[in-house]
Amino acid sequence: MIADAVATRTWYAPAKVNLALHVTGRRDDGYHLIETLAVFTRFGDRIDIAPAESDGFSVSGPYADAVPRDASNLALTARDALRRAVGGVAAPPVEIRLEKNLPVASGIGGGSSDAAAVLRGLVETWGLALGEADQARLAATLGADVPMCLKARPLIARGIGEQLSAVPEFSALGLVLVNPGRAVLTSDVFRALAKRDNEGLPPLPSRIEFHGLRDWLERTRNDLEVAARTIEPSIGKALTALERAGAGFVRMSGSGATCFGLFESGNMAKRAALDIRRRNPDWFVAATRSMT
C-alpha cells in the first residue's frame, strides 16, 4: 500500500536503438565483445516510484502480460541490488509501477532500460549520495546493456558494453520502430553467429546529420542480423515494410526482432508508421525521435 500517493514520481525508460553493432571478439568467459553506436528514443516504458509501507510491483500497458512479476524481472533486480549496496535502513519500502510500452525480448533494451530507470529513480527517492560512477558500476552487475541505458544519450559502447563514449552534438533522428510480434532470445542469436572476430566501427563523421550519418551507416553492419533472420524470418518482412514506407535507411536493432527506419523528418516518420500499421495491424509500430 502506498504511504503517500502525492510523493509518486515518474522516470522514463527509453528504447535503445543500435544504429550499428559490430561483434569484434569473444572473451574466455563467453561474453562477446562489441562496438555499437546507440541512440535512445523519446518513446519507451514508464516507471512510477512512491514510498510505501511494504515493497510492491505492478505492471500495466500493452505488453504487461509478457512481463514477469518475480525476482527474474530486471527492474526488481535493480531495486534489490541497490538496496544491498547502500543498506536496508537507507532504502525503505517502495511501490514500483511499470507501464510496459515496449515489446519484450525485442532488441531495443526494454528490460535494461527499465532497470536503469529504477536505479535513477531510487537514488533520488531514497536521497542517496551515489554518483554517476558508482551507479555505473552497479549497473554493470545487472547486465551488459544497463550501463548504456543509464546514460540514455547518443554513445559508442565497446567491450561487453561497459566502455562508453558520449557522442556530442548528435542531431535528433526521425525513427520508426517496427517489431513483427516475435520475441528473439539474445543468447540464441549469439549462439548462431558464424563469425565473431569482425572489424570494429569506422570513425564517425565530423558532423552528424541525416545524410552524413546515413552514408556512414552504409559502411557499417549489425553483425547479429543474419543469425537473427535465420531464427526469425519475419525480421525480413519488417525491414521490407520500412523500405516500402520510404525510410532512408533500415536495419535491425540489437539482437532483434525490432527493426528501425531513419526518416528525414518527424512528419515523414509519422506518415510511414501509419502506413505500416494499417498494413500490419498486429505489429508493434512506433514513430519517434532520438534524444540528443
Side-chain angles (χ1 to χ4, degrees):
M1 183 170 140
I2 298 175
D4 184 2
V6 177
T8 300
R9 292 188 60 192
T10 298
W11 284 265
Y12 290 95
K16 172 185 64 67
V17 177
N18 299 99
L19 297 179
L21 197 165
H22 291 196
V23 178
T24 59
R26 191 178 188 182
R27 301 195 317 195
D28 292 340
D29 61 6
Y31 278 98
H32 286 81
L33 301 174
I34 64 164
E35 290 190 11
T36 182
L37 172 63
V39 296
F40 296 81
T41 72
R42 296 179 185 178
F43 182 84
D45 296 339
R46 191 177 94 163
I47 299 283
D48 292 330
I49 300 176
E53 295 175 4
S54 60
D55 281 335
F57 180 64
S58 60
V59 188
S60 63
Y63 295 97
D65 290 346
V67 176
R69 269 67 165 179
D70 57 19
S72 66
N73 188 293
L74 204 53
L76 298 183
T77 304
R79 177 201 65 192
D80 296 343
L82 182 58
R83 181 173 278 149
R84 285 194 301 270
V86 302
V89 175
V94 287
E95 175 78 17
I96 298 174
R97 294 192 292 262
L98 166 62
E99 182 181 284
K100 192 63 182 169
N101 300 310
L102 299 173
V104 302
S106 61
I108 48 177
S112 296
S113 194
D114 294 343
V118 166
L119 282 180
R120 288 193 301 268
L122 289 179
V123 166
E124 290 195 35
T125 299
W126 288 336
L128 302 175
L130 205 66
E132 283 192 17
D134 291 328
Q135 291 181 49
R137 279 191 289 271
L138 184 58
T141 68
L142 301 172
D145 277 356
V146 182
M148 65 179 89
C149 289
L150 193 64
K151 289 286 187 184
R153 67 192 69 163
L155 54 82
I156 288 180
R158 297 182 174 89
I160 63 170
E162 85 288 6
Q163 301 171 25
L164 306 179
S165 302
V167 181
E169 300 181 12
F170 200 108
S171 300
L173 301 172
L175 291 157
V176 174
L177 307 180
V178 174
N179 186 291
R182 302 290 186 180
V184 178
L185 294 179
T186 301
S187 56
D188 290 347
V189 175
F190 273 106
R191 199 159 31 241
L193 284 177
K195 191 171 184 291
R196 295 177 169 84
D197 57 347
N198 306 291
E199 68 274 15
L201 295 173
L204 282 170
S206 56
R207 182 170 176 267
I208 299 177
E209 43 73 45
F210 180 84
H211 296 285
L213 178 64
R214 182 184 61 190
D215 292 344
W216 182 84
L217 288 172
E218 294 286 357
R219 299 162 50 206
T220 68
R221 310 174 307 279
N222 180 344
D223 286 330
L224 304 182
E225 188 172 310
V226 172
R229 290 180 67 167
T230 300
I231 295 169
E232 184 45 69
S234 64
I235 292 169
K237 296 179 180 178
L239 292 167
T240 298
L242 285 162
E243 289 173 345
R244 288 176 176 170
F249 182 85
V250 304
R251 178 169 282 165
M252 186 187 81
S253 176
S255 56
T258 303
C259 301
F260 67 88
L262 297 185
F263 292 83
E264 287 196 64
S265 71
N267 286 335
M268 291 174 67
K270 290 176 183 176
R271 286 194 296 269
L274 287 172
D275 179 62
I276 296 171
R277 193 179 295 114
R278 178 178 58 82
R279 297 174 185 271
N280 306 276
D282 296 332
W283 288 8
F284 163 80
V285 182
T288 184
R289 291 182 71 80
S290 64
M291 297 189 294
T292 58

